[in-house]
Each structure stands twice: as C-alpha cells, then as structure tokens.
Amino acid sequence: MKDFNKAFDQIIKMIKEKENFAFTRFSDGELFILQNKTVVLADNHYITGNIKGSNRYTKEEHKEFYPNKHQPYRKKLIECYRHDQENYYKGICTQTDGHVGKENFEWMLNFHNADHTNLTFANLLINANYSRFVEELIPELCNRNIIYVVNELANTSKLPFNTIKEFKIGSNCMIDNYDTAEKVKNFIKHNNVKDAVILCSAASLSNFIIYECYKENTNNTFLDIGSCLNPLLDLEGWKYTRGYLTSYWLNSGSPFGKQVDKWS
C-alpha cells in the first residue's frame, strides 16, 4: 500500500472480489486538527493555525475547528487515526503534497503510535489515479448496493449508480452532524446490510463514520471518497479548489492530474 499505482490496484482487486475493507483519509485538514491548529474554510479565505490566506470556498466546503471549543472531536479523530485493525487502511498526506511536506509527513508517522502496515496515501483515489477512479472503480460501484453520506446541497440524481440509502449532512458536519456515525451504524445493523459499499463525502466526519462502523462490523466496505464525485452532484466548489477534478473534467492542465504521489 506504499506504491501509488499498486495500492490502487489492491483497492480495485478487493472491490471486484468483494473482500470488505475500510479506507479512511487523514488529509491536510485532518492533519491540522490532529496538530491542534485552528482550521477555517470560509467564503473567501482560509485559516490554518496562524496562517490566513485568500481562496474561494462554496458553502458545501465550509468548516470550522477551534482548539479551545472542539477538543472532543479532536480526541475522537486521534482515536480513529490510531485504531489498528485488519483491512482498515488509513491514508495520510505524504511528502509529495507540497503544502504538507516532509516535516508533517514524518509528524504523522510518529503520531500514529501503531504499526504502519495499513498506512497508505490520502490521495490514493485522486491526482494521477483519478482517471482510474472514474473509469475503473465507478463501474464496479454500479454492481453493488451503495449507501452514500453526502452534503445536503448535492444532487445525487445524476450518479451512474443507485443508492439504497443516503445520509445528508451539512457543511461543518464533523461537529454539526456528529450523530450521523451512529445513524449509519444503526441502519446497517437494523437492516442487516452486508457486502454493501458505504461511500463517505463528509470531510472529517467520514473518519468517524468509517471507524465507528467498521470496528464493530466488517461485513461491508467503507470508502472515504472526499470530493471525487462532486462534478456529478451539481456542486461548484471543486472548480476553484480541486486541480485533479478540473484536470479531468475541464481539461484545465492542472499538474495534479498527473501527480503520482510518492511515499518517501
């Protein structure tokens, strides 16, 4: 799982063979929360720790984490990150991510406090692998029962697969929709759901959902897909902040479309 292409091969293989697993992402936002830094995405700016910059974020991308207010959520995220279980894969930012860099990559490894075998790339489904996500992984989803956790602003009617259940969440969902993890777990239990694929597009809430569900029931597959489907959901924010999406869908020439992430 430390080779960008081979790790994607492994994901596809497990899905095709219906070998259940969990893939949960600890990307830059989760990194900063784990480091106990303020994180804000607002209409026209972002804040990470003491750094403030300009960018455009549409409503579905808004979020806030303040260390003096939101420690219980950070503690839960640490619990998710340090959990060790067979087929529970945790993606982290590697040195290839220019805004993360070697120092933060090494910090994530040291902070993990568990065996590194199941660590892989946070960007596993995106960048140079995104075309494979669209052309290889999505067709596999068309043959599976799908549960989708997604923003309330998303229009799922254009997806190429059907869903058996959708859980709609708001923008600052890690905090405002924290109880969704329990709702998903209860739905799976009460409906005896097996061999389904649970897709999560719910920022750091995705980590909570995947952790809480998979540690108790390994009969389903959980995929943290982030913004991968946003161009199909009538959402606009990806056009301003997701180079891998604009490269594929808009032919923007963004270098992220060809970026092959490296572990070391």
Side-chain angles (χ1 to χ4, degrees), residues 2-32:
K2 306 297 189 290
D3 179 283
F4 198 58
N5 294 315
K6 291 179 181 178
F8 192 92
D9 290 341
Q10 179 66 13
I11 293 292
I12 288 290
K13 180 176 182 290
M14 288 189 290
I15 289 177
K16 285 184 175 180
E17 296 179 357
K18 294 187 177 181
E19 178 183 354
N20 290 315
F21 67 95
F23 172 62
T24 179
R25 300 166 58 250
F26 295 83
S27 196
D28 52 355
E30 289 71 40
L31 164 68
F32 299 136

Side-chain angles (χ1 to χ4, degrees), residues 8-259:
F8 192 92
D9 290 341
Q10 179 66 13
I11 293 292
I12 288 290
K13 180 176 182 290
M14 288 189 290
I15 289 177
K16 285 184 175 180
E17 296 179 357
K18 294 187 177 181
E19 178 183 354
N20 290 315
F21 67 95
F23 172 62
T24 179
R25 300 166 58 250
F26 295 83
S27 196
D28 52 355
E30 289 71 40
L31 164 68
F32 299 136
I33 292 171
L34 291 173
Q35 292 178 331
N36 211 27
K37 295 179 179 179
T38 296
V39 178
V40 175
L41 298 184
D43 285 340
N44 57 11
H45 70 276
Y46 66 88
I47 300 172
T48 54
N50 297 320
I51 299 173
K52 182 175 181 179
S54 299
N55 208 342
R56 180 175 177 180
Y57 298 97
T58 49
K59 186 176 180 182
E60 75 274 7
E61 297 181 306
H62 289 186
K63 68 174 69 175
E64 294 180 348
F65 171 81
Y66 293 104
N68 62 334
K69 291 173 59 178
H70 300 136
Q71 278 304 305
Y73 305 100
R74 175 176 177 265
K75 290 179 180 178
K76 175 60 71 173
L77 193 63
I78 293 172
E79 191 177 326
C80 299
Y81 184 52
R82 290 178 169 171
H83 180 64
D84 191 24
Q85 182 179 354
E86 185 178 2
N87 282 3
Y88 178 80
Y89 296 102
K90 293 164 283 188
I92 67 172
C93 291
T94 63
Q95 300 175 64
T96 316
D97 295 303
H99 61 297
V100 173
K102 182 177 180 180
E103 183 178 346
N104 282 321
F105 172 60
E106 292 179 348
W107 186 93
M108 287 291 280
L109 292 177
N110 292 331
F111 191 74
H112 185 231
N113 200 31
D115 184 82
H116 292 176
T117 302
N118 283 3
L119 290 183
T120 188
F121 302 89
N123 293 338
L124 182 57
L125 305 181
I126 65 172
N127 294 345
N129 279 343
Y130 183 68
S131 60
R132 298 188 64 191
F133 173 86
V134 175
E135 297 159 20
E136 296 179 41
L137 198 151
I138 287 182
E140 293 298 324
L141 298 180
C142 295
N143 302 317
R144 303 290 294 272
N145 288 328
I146 304 294
I147 296 171
Y148 195 15
V149 184
V150 64
N151 193 276
E152 61 192 359
L153 300 176
N155 173 15
T156 58
S157 66
K158 299 177 183 178
L159 290 174
F161 51 80
N162 296 319
T163 59
I164 62 171
K165 177 68 176 179
E166 295 178 7
F167 292 87
K168 294 297 183 74
I169 44 88
S171 300
N172 199 33
C173 55
M174 179 183 77
I175 294 162
D176 295 343
N177 302 109
Y178 180 78
D179 62 346
T180 302
E182 194 68 21
K183 291 178 181 178
V184 175
K185 184 167 64 173
N186 288 338
F187 178 84
I188 291 171
K189 179 180 179 180
H190 294 156
N191 293 278
N192 195 29
V193 177
K194 292 182 179 180
D195 295 323
V197 178
I198 293 82
L199 303 177
C200 295
S201 296
S204 302
L205 177 62
S206 297
N207 303 100
F208 300 166
I209 293 169
I210 294 171
Y211 165 67
E212 291 292 347
C213 292
Y214 195 75
K215 71 177 181 178
E216 293 188 10
N217 186 338
T218 60
N219 291 328
N220 296 286
T221 289
F222 294 82
L223 280 179
D224 181 351
I225 62 169
S227 304
C228 284
L229 293 176
N230 282 21
L232 306 178
L233 299 173
D234 288 345
L235 299 172
E236 294 292 322
W238 62 275
K239 296 178 181 179
Y240 313 108
T241 59
R242 302 289 189 271
Y244 75 93
L245 291 177
T246 63
S247 175
Y248 185 87
W249 296 101
L250 302 178
N251 197 27
S252 68
S254 169
F256 289 106
K258 296 181 179 180
Q259 178 175 303

